[in-house]
Amino acid sequence: VSTTIPTDEELAAVAHRIRGTVVEMCVMRGQGYVGQGLALADLMACLYFDELVRDAADHRFVLSTGHSAIALFAALGEQGVYEREELLTYGTDGSRIEESPLEGIPGFEITAGALGQGVSQAVGLALGERLRGSGRRIYCVASDGELQEGQVWEALMSAAHHRLDNLVVIVDNNRMQADGDVAEVLEVEPVPEKLESFGLAAMRVAGDDIAGIRSAFARARATPGRPTGVVLDTVPGKGVPSFEAYSKVHYIRADNGVWQQALSELEDGAQQGGEP
Amino acid sequence: MAAPAAASVALGSEQAPFGVVLLELAARRPDVVVLSADLSKYTDILPFAEAHPDRFFQMGMAEQNLMGTAGGLAKAGLLPIAVTYGVFATRRAFEQVAMALATGPTRVIIVAFLPGLTTPFRATHQATEDLALMRTIPGMTVVDPADSTELKSAFLAAVEADGPVYLRGLRGTVSTLFDPAAGIEVGRARVIRGGSEVGIITSGIAAEWVLEAQRAPALDELDAAHLHVPMLKPFDGEAVLRFCERLERVVTVENHSIVGGLGSAVAEVLAESGSSTRLTRLGVPDVWAPAGSLQFVRKRLALDEDGLAAAIANAPRAQR
């Protein structure tokens, strides 16, 4: 539990450190889901250094988008749950810092790599915590590509039907998936309108807008009787301009020079006040 | 063969045994929650829903979400019972059962009704490969009860399991073949009858089919042994091997496809042990079964009294 509420600037500094960890995690093998990790850094800072630790209730986080594990690992690294040395073994044989881990390691509540399953488990957690009267809230990250799986809509329908106002579903609206741009593979927009029509209180926020993310969470806490859907418009590779410009950013494999360049671009951005 | 004394077979019936045992468990376990996928009326769980509305979750016709939600409820510290038909629990929600429930593993009890041929519809409702699918999942417990006694015992035992349990459900008026006071251990195979000329191995309601068939003329004269195996996983292979040891031929009978269920499980242990006992698998052959009453469909598949008796009596012997 945090003793003081952090400022937006403090959370931006945490997000910057998470981005650095994300890039460093890809160096050993020269590859990884760096785009997703960079895109979600601001959200992870808001969750793990504010929203999840605002009180003693021990709120719960569910990552449905298994491929974005790198962002969660980096955030948990900031929390001291994982040591830096171990995080750097990301994706190597025998490491528990897997690119898409199964449940059971610290911070990973569910097995998420088979996309589309996490929101259902978040619904179960929200129903269960409400039944137990624990006061715990559930935050679940899914992605826009995942919304192509029918199960997600079953889950959203049931969340609204059961009036789960202790549930926040965050859609990482990164506009890309394995085969390319979501608009070309199978369009899912308009996402907020779809969520609203399924009974959620929906809002759209820019992925790097720390004040906006915190305000969306505050609105969710103040919305009785309905789950909240936060559509987070993220930019894959955020904070590293050369990655942001790279269209095939679903998965990056590159030589060491590229990763060193990425680390240097991150530092430049921070020095220029580019964060957030 | 020095077979143990035959288990007592008390023919009778019980009304909605699953509903009864569920209420019994819920009364002493406040962590029990029940999830339904729009089949509450047809799975004997309405008495629970009425008695414990706060612990009953209607999830609608959405089995993938049913399984995922059950997983989440378990992670919130509850004991979820996910109830639907076997076809939907396994075919529709296979990945959810495997990933959301079995990778943890997570303690969720799936109670899957309309096992095998116990439905008037055809392939859409006949769960004839559910046991095969569930048997492939690491850490899964798979039970095919024969009667009300095994159903209730298996359900209460499932509560103590560490991981997910797939339990075939029997609804409405359910036969009582075994004495509820006998303290049945569903994890163990039981010799129902000793014999030396042919061995019969059953799981699920096929046990009752075989008990009937033993009265048919073709089997009446034959000294047939009968082993009953309620649990397909973990599988009591040792008991199966002991049973087969002195028999030249054994026949498996199951309310399931002959691919992947009891017949396959017995074949696996026999083959790996180097046994020379000849195996014949009876059940739903590798085809889509016809529609109709259980009696009609059994007759069409030669799983009725006379069909079974003839197939068992004529089962091929080991070739030396």
Side-chain angles (χ1 to χ4, degrees):
Chain A
V1 178
S2 58
T3 46
T4 56
I5 294 178
T7 64
D8 291 350
E9 290 70 28
E10 284 166 334
L11 290 180
V14 172
H16 177 66
R17 293 200 299 274
I18 289 175
R19 286 194 165 91
T21 304
V22 163
V23 174
E24 285 170 358
M25 285 170 72
C26 296
V27 170
M28 191 175 288
R29 287 167 65 242
Q31 62 192 60
Y33 290 96
V34 68
Q36 291 85 336
L38 292 170
L40 290 173
D42 300 293
L43 171 70
M44 287 298 165
C46 292
L47 281 170
Y48 276 86
F49 286 81
D50 181 23
E51 191 65 15
L52 295 173
V53 294
R54 293 181 69 84
D55 51 45
D58 198 10
H59 303 295
R60 303 179 78 157
F61 177 71
V62 174
L63 179 68
S64 182
T65 312
H67 305 68
S68 296
I70 189 169
L72 178 52
F73 274 127
L76 293 168
E78 282 301 308
Q79 290 237 316
V81 176
Y82 292 96
E83 296 292 337
R84 186 188 139 78
E85 291 68 34
E86 188 177 15
L87 290 178
L88 297 186
T89 65
Y90 171 68
T92 58
D93 287 349
S95 170
R96 64 173 181 162
I97 313 300
E98 297 174 23
E99 289 186 305
S100 182
L102 298 192
E103 66 190 60
I105 55 169
F108 287 80
E109 296 244 22
I110 69 159
T111 294
L115 297 176
Q117 293 206 24
V119 183
S120 294
Q121 294 218 52
V123 165
L125 279 164
L127 277 172
E129 296 294 356
R130 183 175 71 185
L131 181 63
R132 295 175 60 220
S134 68
R136 295 168 91 177
R137 299 173 57 74
I138 316 299
Y139 297 81
C140 175
V141 167
S143 71
D144 52 353
E146 265 195 289
L147 299 183
Q148 292 162 359
E149 292 283 0
Q151 184 188 353
V152 180
W153 299 100
E154 296 180 1
L156 295 171
M157 208 186 309
S158 68
H161 178 84
H162 290 285
R163 302 177 179 281
L164 296 177
D165 52 16
N166 58 343
L167 173 66
V168 178
V169 176
I170 301 143
V171 177
D172 174 11
N173 201 38
N174 55 45
R175 306 297 297 152
M176 53 99 177
Q177 55 188 114
D179 267 358
D181 194 297
V182 170
E184 287 166 17
V185 178
L186 187 65
E187 183 57 275
V188 298
E189 288 278 20
V191 180
E193 286 81 351
K194 283 176 177 153
L195 297 183
E196 278 285 343
S197 73
F198 269 65
L200 284 80
M203 55 203 81
R204 192 189 279 276
V205 181
D208 61 352
D209 179 2
I210 285 176
I213 293 168
R214 302 178 84 181
S215 145
F217 288 158
R219 278 171 65 189
R221 273 183 264 119
T223 303
R226 298 170 81 187
T228 290
V230 178
V231 180
L232 198 65
D233 288 332
T234 57
V235 175
K238 181 71 191 174
V240 177
S242 59
F243 284 172
E244 288 178 34
Y246 187 46
S247 66
K248 292 174 184 170
V249 83
H250 177 72
Y251 190 85
I252 288 185
R253 187 176 287 120
D255 61 30
N256 191 47
V258 171
W259 299 106
Q260 297 309 322
Q261 169 70 20
L263 285 171
S264 139
E265 286 181 29
L266 261 183
E267 285 316 310
D268 291 348
Q271 277 162 20
Q272 290 162 15
E275 291 286 329
Chain B
M1 176 183 175
S8 66
V9 175
L11 278 163
S13 67
E14 185 176 347
Q15 206 56 36
F18 176 62
V20 170
V21 73
L22 179 60
L23 273 181
E24 186 188 308
L25 179 71
R28 59 185 163 86
R29 289 286 296 257
D31 57 340
V32 168
V33 293
V34 174
L35 300 90
S36 176
D38 192 34
L39 289 169
S40 311
K41 287 180 191 167
Y42 308 101
T43 54
D44 294 344
I45 56 176
L46 281 182
F48 175 93
E50 280 155 22
H52 306 284
D54 55 325
R55 292 197 263 156
F56 174 77
F57 301 120
Q58 175 59 263
M59 303 310 294
M61 207 188 301
E63 293 77 14
Q64 299 179 351
N65 187 48
L66 172 83
M67 296 306 173
T69 302
L73 279 160
K75 286 169 181 141
L78 298 160
L79 171 49
I81 321 291
V83 185
T84 181
Y85 287 170
V87 276
F88 308 130
T90 57
R91 289 182 194 149
R92 179 77 60 125
F94 183 79
E95 191 193 54
Q96 286 71 22
V97 171
M99 294 298 105
L101 305 187
T103 56
T106 299
R107 189 185 52 170
V108 168
I109 305 172
I110 301 165
V111 184
F113 282 81
L114 301 195
L117 304 171
T118 58
T119 161
F121 299 163
R122 291 188 66 193
T124 53
H125 286 63
Q126 289 167 343
T128 51
E129 74 290 291
D130 58 329
L131 302 173
L133 289 168
M134 293 297 104
R135 219 161 66 83
T136 61
I137 298 175
M140 180 67 73
T141 297
V142 183
V143 191
D144 185 14
D147 73 338
S148 60
T149 302
E150 284 191 353
L151 175 61
K152 291 161 96 175
S153 307
F155 181 67
L156 294 175
V159 172
E160 308 302 326
D162 293 329
V165 175
Y166 181 81
L167 171 61
R168 275 182 155 190
L170 302 167
R171 70 183 185 189
T173 306
V174 177
S175 294
T176 305
L177 305 179
F178 305 113
D179 183 359
I184 278 173
E185 238 188 288
V186 288
R188 308 293 296 274
R190 306 194 305 280
V191 175
I192 306 285
R193 183 177 139 156
S196 60
E197 289 185 58
V198 62
I200 308 166
I201 305 177
T202 60
S203 65
I205 62 169
E208 187 171 356
W209 302 352
V210 164
L211 292 173
E212 293 164 4
Q214 279 172 341
R215 296 192 297 254
L219 262 189
D220 192 33
E221 308 277 289
L222 206 60
D223 188 21
H226 181 182
L227 180 76
H228 181 65
V229 192
M231 192 178 281
L232 275 293
K233 190 173 184 175
F235 189 61
D236 193 355
E238 282 181 26
V240 168
L241 287 176
R242 268 200 311 277
F243 177 77
C244 295
E245 222 167 25
R246 290 182 189 80
L247 292 166
E248 222 181 324
R249 49 184 183 146
V250 295
V251 181
T252 54
V253 188
E254 60 194 306
N255 176 31
H256 184 269
S257 167
I258 59 167
V259 179
L262 174 72
S264 294
V266 170
E268 289 159 15
V269 296
L270 283 179
E272 288 192 332
S273 76
S275 166
S276 62
T277 303
R278 179 87 177 260
L279 173 66
T280 299
R281 293 170 299 147
L282 301 180
V284 181
D286 194 15
V287 298
W288 298 114
S293 68
L294 182 57
Q295 286 310 316
F296 173 81
V297 178
R298 279 179 58 192
K299 194 164 178 61
R300 288 283 295 272
L301 297 176
L303 297 171
D304 60 324
E305 271 183 46
D306 293 334
L308 278 176
I312 293 166
N314 299 324
R317 293 164 193 282
Q319 288 165 341
R320 304 283 173 183

